[in-house]
Amino acid sequence: MSVRSSGACGVALLIAAWGLAPFAAAAGPPRSRESFNAGWKFARFGPMPDGSRLPEPGAPRWKIPARASSEETGKNNTADAALDGDPKTRWCAASGRKDEWLAIDLGPSPKVAALAIDWEFPDLRYAYAVEASDDGQAWEVVRSVEADHPVEKIAINPGRRLVRIRVAAPPAGKWASVAEVRLFDAAAKPVVNERVDQGETPAATGFDDAGWWTLDVPHDWGIEGPFRDDLPNDTGKLPWKGIGWYRKAFAVPAADRGRRVFIDFDGAMANSQVWLNGRLVGGWPFGYQAFRLELTPYLKYDAENVLAVRLDAEKWGSRWYPGAGIYRNVWLVKSSPLHVAHWGVFATIPALNDDAGTVSLAVTVDNQLDVDALAVVRAVIYELDEHGAVSAEVAEAKAVERSILTGGQAQASLSAVVPKPRRWDLESPRRYVARVVVERSGEVVDVYDQPFGFRTIEFTGREGFKLNGKTVFLKGTCNHHDLGPLGAALNVRALERQLEILKEMGCNALRTSHNPPAPELLDLADRMGFVVMVEAFDCWKTGKTAGDYSALFDEWHARDLEAMVRRERNHPSVVMWSIGNEVAEQDGPELAKALADVVRSYDATRPVTAGCNNPEAGVNGFQTAVDAFGLNYHTDDYARILEHPGNANKPIYTSESSSCVSSRGEYFFPVKRGRDSQANFQISSYDVDAPPWAQPPDEVFAALDRNPRFFGEFVWTGFDYLGEPTPYNSDATNLLNFSDPAKREAMKAELARLGSLKVPSASSYFGILDLCGFKKDRFYIYQARWRPDLAMAHILPHWNWPERQGLVTPVHVYTSGDEAELFLDGVSLGRKKKAEFEYRLRWDDVTYRPGVLKVVAYKAGREWATDVVATTGPATKLALAADRAEIAADGRDLSFVTVTVADAEGRLVPRSANLVTFAIDGPGEIVAVGNGDAASHEPFQATRREAFNGLVQAIVRIKPGQAGPVILRAESEGLDAAQVVIKGR
């Protein structure tokens, strides 16, 4: 099957952050869009960072409360869950210790005369005691129950205030866990627990928030820490689960009467509810999805308005660190009642050649007037320069009229021909903007600007992916949305820096794993020249972890798909829609087809795909539901899927590849996959290790070269991310990667072993770059593969091994050349040439002695590139380097400063772990620090950090409007200090 599209699309309305200059007609009436990020009040409730629990003001509370010796707050397995009447929830202790207990306060319900315990595992046996107390200090045993003699119901003396279930011995391998405690009165009738209102909530206009923090969004409350050993490492050991309230006071002038006022959230994690002046406006549960709410009916003019937002991340489940809070941008939009609808322009390109390009604009107009209206809709096309600024007018679309009933919508189809269009492509990502104008009775009532690009895409089974008629191999990376030390809070410069580094490596494609991205990511992809697979979900009906999207799927999946596609379908960078990642429902096409049809109803110009970790999905019919089939891992199944009858014309690629794991600057011996590559909660950077379902990059390259019909790969992952520290995690979702029963059982045993260890690891090891964006060795094997015309060579490991004097210490070289010669102190150790399906050169018999390693790489017989690694001297000084020495003084732009622990010659000293302390002079702030160590629990919001293998990072911003220079100083005991100057503009 061939999937062909000539749709070329662009970004959303007026993204000022990237130079899309506000047009005079759009900056004020009839339409405005202003940042709503500044000046929020914030407070947190429910599970707190220190492990305590703070009641939510005014929140309903249980009439019969419960508490416990410990509870799995990170998984919502709290004491109250055992008395909530829901058998699907549970209390679970936070350890497997004996004598964990669950206490129930019967004070308000003195009629309770008996209880029955529904254990989480009813077929197993628990030894426990039911105890009673009047003061919580002296406890009297009511009944002891042996494991071999279970009882159904236990009588309690009515009038006792407190009852406690103390688990003397849980079943082998299990922790104390109760699904439900059922209470009964003297007549054996159930006593039902109820929620009781507790007064005014923060949604009320007059609520006293004077003691709350004042902050600007985007904001992620989880990244503030601290790291806690008792929290799960699959979500980063950070206290993100909680309930957050945000409140913002603002005024709307009387001049805005008659306009429509909306608030746009680009994302709020999670389960958002929004009130204005005490009245519920709406919300959206999926924290990754953008949404709009209309404020008009609830506004006060020339008076204070109070917007309140409640987020409940406690009830959100995730396999990685999701962050928590209003972590993306918020916008206040004002328009006339007759206006272009939200995401109401869809630009497609029905015809394109070098002489002319036709852009078709499907425009949806809303009539919120109280009368019918005759709307005149027209458009003018402008070029955008490389910075997104408006350039010359190039075409005009003929106006059309539409009669729209009051409260109704109408569609207007416009078309314009642009002479000699400049195409959007990876090397020259040129864009245009369609300014859509709505008039009524000769008056302009709305102006809406929709950027787009001229380009064609085509996916075929034989020739792969074509952009503008040219075959392009997708050199992609998967990435989660967090920004390392900055957490999940959006920062455009941090995103841009990530893409700059990926571009340097040769990456040309991005997968938004596993959720809709911040719109700014796609704006950057449009501007910088990446193609993007936008992904919707990590699960469908069957979940992977408690509280995940499966709980929302039935009610929300169609709305979330609509929102994702309508928001992103105007980006030229977007080339595929993914409806899911490694979902459980890969046994047939039915559900996948239903979701794909939803996507196609909003955009038929791009293929629908999914990332499948079950290779049978490529042959069992699932593949027929998608336009392009994505296979995660399973390199041994490439050929079988390609050769399956019916797949001859199916576009196929690897939607998730490699999952190689490594720690920057760590090397272990022997150089061997598995336990030999793992020590001290780090993983060898020889790049030979991967989880059992995954492969080092060399094996993926070979599989792709043997199966050239695969049109690309998306490597897991570009950057390390918070959470999911495989192989040092006990996350049961790892079992989803195995279809073979024997391999599943082996993995289950490994997870059980890890569950018994105190594992510090809090972030992943999958990244080609570490959590700070420092390059691991693996960066260079991909650069050699993806940029074959770049003259480069890279030696690993470092050459500081005093404990290996005289021992064999293998040396590997990554190069874009085809052969290389290695020298130690000028003596040749041999010249090697890459064999077919070989992607690194190895000298596995090098005996270590201090000195200088040098490699000379050759291509087609000519010298091509060199690299040198030398034994360094001891650390004597710090060296600082800023990625940019001048940044905007707006409080948002960032400078990323790298601190190197260096010897007297300025060379990085491997394995150095010096504590670096920072100070700043001038109007600047240290936003975060980091070092890329996945096992470190040092806080990110700090002014000190230990080096990890010689490197530390400090992230600096300049306070808004204060452009004076900032001096960042770094000191470490016994080393010469250093400083760097950052100017503001």
Side-chain angles (χ1 to χ4, degrees):
M1 176 184 175
S2 172
V3 181
R4 182 178 175 83
S5 166
S6 58
C9 308
V11 294
L13 170 69
L14 290 179
I15 305 300
W18 289 111
L20 186 53
F23 302 107
R31 176 185 288 265
S32 65
R33 183 175 186 258
E34 60 190 64
S35 172
F36 209 62
N37 287 345
W40 290 81
K41 291 293 195 73
F42 169 75
R44 175 176 176 167
F45 305 98
M48 300 300 287
D50 63 359
S52 64
R53 192 171 186 90
L54 182 64
E56 188 178 0
R61 301 182 190 178
W62 290 108
K63 188 175 182 179
I64 305 175
R67 59 189 179 90
S69 54
S70 68
E71 50 190 14
E72 284 187 320
T73 55
K75 296 182 178 180
N76 295 329
N77 297 327
T78 59
D80 284 337
L83 282 98
D84 63 0
D86 184 354
K88 295 181 180 178
T89 63
R90 62 177 176 137
W91 162 69
C92 184
S95 78
R97 295 190 300 266
K98 295 181 179 181
D99 291 324
E100 295 275 10
W101 51 261
L102 174 72
I104 304 168
D105 187 347
L106 299 176
S109 302
K111 296 181 180 180
V112 172
L115 62 80
I117 305 169
D118 297 334
W119 300 99
E120 181 189 4
F121 302 100
D123 295 334
L124 302 180
R125 296 291 178 257
Y126 297 76
Y128 64 97
V130 174
E131 303 168 331
S133 175
D134 292 321
D135 59 5
Q137 301 298 319
W139 291 90
E140 173 188 334
V141 176
V142 175
R143 176 85 178 263
S144 292
V145 179
E146 298 297 327
D148 295 336
H149 299 87
V151 298
E152 292 187 4
K153 191 180 292 187
I154 297 175
I156 302 170
N157 183 16
R160 301 305 295 268
R161 176 172 165 259
L162 299 169
V163 173
R164 184 169 74 178
I165 302 164
R166 180 173 51 82
V167 183
K174 302 296 182 184
W175 295 359
S177 53
V178 174
E180 198 68 25
V181 177
R182 292 177 286 123
L183 306 175
F184 303 90
D185 63 15
K189 294 182 179 180
V191 176
V192 179
N193 203 1
E194 299 174 327
R195 285 187 176 272
V196 181
D197 289 335
Q198 297 292 313
E200 190 173 68
T201 76
T205 302
F207 183 87
D208 183 6
D209 60 13
W212 289 18
W213 299 339
T214 299
L215 52 78
D216 296 344
V217 301
H219 170 238
D220 171 14
W221 75 62
I223 199 65
E224 297 160 3
F227 289 98
R228 282 178 24 210
D229 280 332
D230 63 310
L231 294 177
N233 63 2
D234 56 324
T235 55
K237 289 189 172 290
L238 287 165
W240 59 275
K241 277 189 176 288
I243 296 167
W245 278 91
Y246 295 81
R247 287 167 52 89
K248 180 178 170 72
F250 66 103
V252 177
D256 283 336
R257 289 186 185 274
R259 302 178 80 189
R260 311 304 294 192
V261 181
F262 306 89
I263 189 165
D264 290 354
F265 291 88
D266 287 345
M269 189 64 70
N271 297 302
S272 63
Q273 293 176 288
V274 180
W275 290 261
L276 179 60
N277 297 325
R279 298 175 66 184
L280 182 64
V281 181
W284 203 281
F286 192 29
Y288 296 106
Q289 192 55 265
F291 63 98
R292 164 174 285 187
L293 299 172
E294 183 165 5
L295 304 182
T296 313
Y298 316 103
L299 282 171
K300 300 175 184 177
Y301 296 90
D302 274 347
E304 184 179 79
N305 294 274
V306 177
L307 192 79
V309 180
R310 180 184 187 271
L311 301 176
D312 190 347
E314 185 179 14
K315 294 181 180 177
W316 180 249
S318 181
R319 296 191 299 118
W320 57 88
Y321 176 76
I326 302 178
Y327 71 110
R328 292 179 181 169
N329 286 317
V330 186
W331 308 92
L332 193 69
V333 178
K334 302 175 183 178
S335 72
S336 67
L338 186 66
H339 60 265
V340 175
H342 191 214
W343 303 321
V345 177
F346 183 22
T348 56
I349 310 301
L352 178 62
N353 57 46
D354 291 343
D355 294 324
T358 301
V359 56
S360 292
L361 303 171
V363 181
T364 302
V365 180
D366 284 345
N367 179 14
Q368 293 186 278
L369 292 164
D370 55 8
V371 297
D372 299 347
L374 180 66
V376 177
V377 186
R378 57 184 175 85
V380 181
I381 312 300
Y382 298 88
E383 270 192 293
L384 298 177
D385 68 17
E386 61 271 22
H387 303 293
V390 176
S391 184
E393 177 182 333
V394 293
E396 186 171 353
K398 183 179 179 181
V400 299
E401 291 184 351
R402 289 291 181 268
S403 181
I404 313 175
L405 297 176
T406 178
Q409 273 188 346
Q411 312 295 320
S413 297
L414 307 179
S415 182
V417 177
V418 174
K420 299 189 179 302
R422 299 186 177 188
R423 299 188 188 220
W424 184 94
D425 60 31
L426 300 179
E427 290 74 33
S428 180
R430 302 308 296 261
R431 294 173 294 153
Y432 293 77
V433 65
R435 179 185 293 181
V436 177
V437 179
V438 180
E439 298 178 356
R440 179 178 180 238
S441 301
E443 177 187 359
V444 173
V445 295
D446 196 20
V447 178
Y448 186 103
D449 297 289
Q450 182 59 65
F452 67 96
F454 285 101
R455 58 101 173 107
T456 63
I457 61 172
E458 184 179 6
F459 292 80
T460 73
R462 293 295 177 185
E463 298 179 81
F465 169 65
K466 291 185 176 182
L467 177 63
N468 295 321
K470 298 179 181 178
T471 298
V472 175
F473 187 85
L474 296 188
K475 308 166 185 175
T477 58
C478 306
N479 291 289
H480 279 312
H481 70 300
D482 76 68
L483 296 169
L486 298 172
L490 173 78
N491 181 275
V492 176
R493 170 55 197 160
L495 273 177
E496 181 186 43
R497 173 178 174 266
Q498 285 192 341
L499 297 194
E500 288 172 348
I501 296 170
L502 292 177
K503 198 84 168 177
E504 179 189 353
M505 184 173 68
C507 175
N508 64 12
L510 309 170
R511 179 190 181 200
T512 68
S513 309
H514 302 291
N515 46 260
E520 290 81 1
L521 175 66
L522 300 182
D523 301 337
L524 286 164
D526 288 344
R527 183 172 65 85
M528 298 174 69
F530 288 86
V531 295
V532 184
M533 181 207 323
V534 174
E535 192 152 69
F537 309 126
D538 188 47
C539 64
W540 295 345
K541 287 178 176 288
T542 301
K544 299 177 181 178
T545 189
D548 64 13
Y549 191 81
S550 61
L552 303 175
F553 181 86
D554 287 339
E555 181 179 356
W556 282 93
H557 73 270
R559 280 181 279 183
D560 281 320
L561 286 173
E562 176 188 359
M564 178 187 78
V565 175
R566 292 186 65 225
R567 188 185 77 170
E568 319 297 12
R569 63 187 177 181
N570 285 311
H571 288 275
S573 59
V574 175
V575 297
M576 285 192 286
W577 303 114
S578 172
I579 54 176
N581 168 67
E582 298 185 351
V583 298
E585 299 87 343
Q586 296 178 45
D587 54 350
E590 291 77 18
L591 187 52
K593 182 180 185 303
L595 270 64
D597 286 345
V598 173
V599 171
R600 295 181 189 118
S601 71
Y602 298 105
D603 179 18
T605 71
R606 297 173 176 85
V608 176
T609 187
C612 297
N613 63 323
N614 182 355
E616 297 308 308
V619 299
N620 67 10
F622 182 99
Q623 83 278 17
T624 65
V626 293
D627 304 309
F629 179 73
L631 179 66
N632 292 4
Y633 313 109
H634 295 285
T635 52
D636 291 342
D637 289 284
Y638 282 13
R640 179 170 69 96
I641 292 172
L642 290 173
E643 294 165 4
H644 181 74
N647 285 351
N649 296 315
K650 173 68 67 175
I652 298 175
Y653 67 107
T654 175
S655 40
E656 193 168 308
S657 68
S658 187
S659 275
C660 183
V661 284
S662 64
S663 303
R664 175 184 51 78
E666 296 283 340
Y667 306 92
F668 304 131
F669 306 92
V671 179
K672 187 177 178 182
R673 181 172 179 167
R675 293 284 181 85
D676 290 316
S677 285
Q678 302 168 16
N680 307 320
F681 298 105
Q682 305 295 346
I683 306 168
S684 178
S685 197
Y686 272 106
D687 300 332
V688 297
D689 200 21
W693 66 83
Q695 303 83 29
D698 320 53
E699 293 182 23
V700 179
F701 296 161
L704 290 169
D705 288 346
R706 288 186 171 100
N707 298 276
R709 273 188 53 202
F710 272 65
F711 65 77
E713 69 168 316
F714 289 86
V715 181
W716 191 265
T717 54
F719 292 82
D720 280 340
Y721 54 92
L722 295 166
E724 207 172 24
T726 305
Y728 299 117
N729 70 331
S730 55
D731 180 6
T733 59
N734 282 316
L735 297 174
L736 297 173
N737 292 289
F738 299 98
S739 54
D740 181 82
K743 292 181 178 179
R744 282 178 63 91
E745 287 305 312
M747 189 66 193
K748 189 179 293 185
E750 177 68 7
L751 297 181
R753 182 187 72 84
L754 285 170
S756 65
L757 298 176
K758 185 177 180 181
V759 178
S761 305
S763 60
S764 84
Y765 301 85
F766 291 118
I768 298 170
L769 300 115
D770 73 14
L771 203 63
C772 293
F774 297 143
K775 296 167 185 172
K776 301 181 186 179
D777 292 293
R778 212 171 343 136
F779 176 94
Y780 298 98
I781 194 171
Y782 282 101
Q783 188 179 64
R785 166 81 170 180
W786 288 351
R787 297 185 66 183
D789 296 329
L790 174 71
M792 57 78 61
H794 175 77
I795 297 172
L796 64 138
H798 63 73
W799 211 238
N800 279 35
W801 299 104
E803 76 278 18
R804 297 190 62 79
Q805 185 80 34
L807 298 178
V808 171
T809 305
V811 176
H812 293 189
V813 170
Y814 301 146
T815 178
S816 53
D818 47 41
E819 57 183 315
E821 187 171 10
L822 184 67
F823 299 86
L824 177 56
D825 291 335
V827 178
S828 176
L829 301 180
R831 182 162 169 166
K832 296 178 180 286
K833 187 171 185 176
K834 292 178 183 175
E836 186 180 18
F837 307 124
E838 189 176 19
Y839 306 93
R840 71 175 84 191
L841 296 171
R842 303 174 60 144
W843 286 261
D844 288 331
D845 56 355
V846 179
T847 299
Y848 176 77
R849 69 171 187 270
V852 178
L853 283 173
K854 180 179 180 179
V855 68
V856 179
Y858 298 86
K859 194 162 190 174
R862 295 185 177 183
E863 187 172 322
W864 177 246
T866 63
D867 189 32
V868 173
V869 172
T871 306
T872 72
T876 62
K877 62 183 179 180
L878 299 178
L880 270 61
D883 71 329
R884 293 183 307 153
E886 183 175 326
I887 62 175
D890 59 5
R892 298 186 301 273
D893 201 5
L894 301 175
S895 181
F896 290 79
V897 179
T898 299
V899 182
T900 302
V901 179
D903 69 1
E905 296 182 35
R907 299 172 298 190
L908 182 149
V909 179
R911 298 196 282 185
S912 50
N914 305 65
L915 178 63
V916 178
T917 301
F918 296 100
I920 197 163
D921 295 332
E925 297 174 300
I926 298 172
V927 181
V929 296
N931 62 9
D933 180 1
S936 173
H937 287 194
E938 294 175 277
F940 294 121
Q941 287 76 37
T943 56
R944 46 188 268 165
R945 188 77 166 194
E946 284 188 359
F948 179 59
N949 289 321
L951 294 179
V952 179
Q953 181 180 79
I955 306 172
V956 176
R957 68 184 172 198
I958 297 177
K959 297 176 182 178
Q962 302 184 41
V966 168
I967 300 174
L968 178 70
R969 306 179 191 276
E971 297 179 347
S972 184
E973 185 176 354
L975 304 181
D976 292 343
Q979 68 180 43
V980 66
V981 177
I982 301 167
K983 297 179 180 178
R985 61 175 187 274

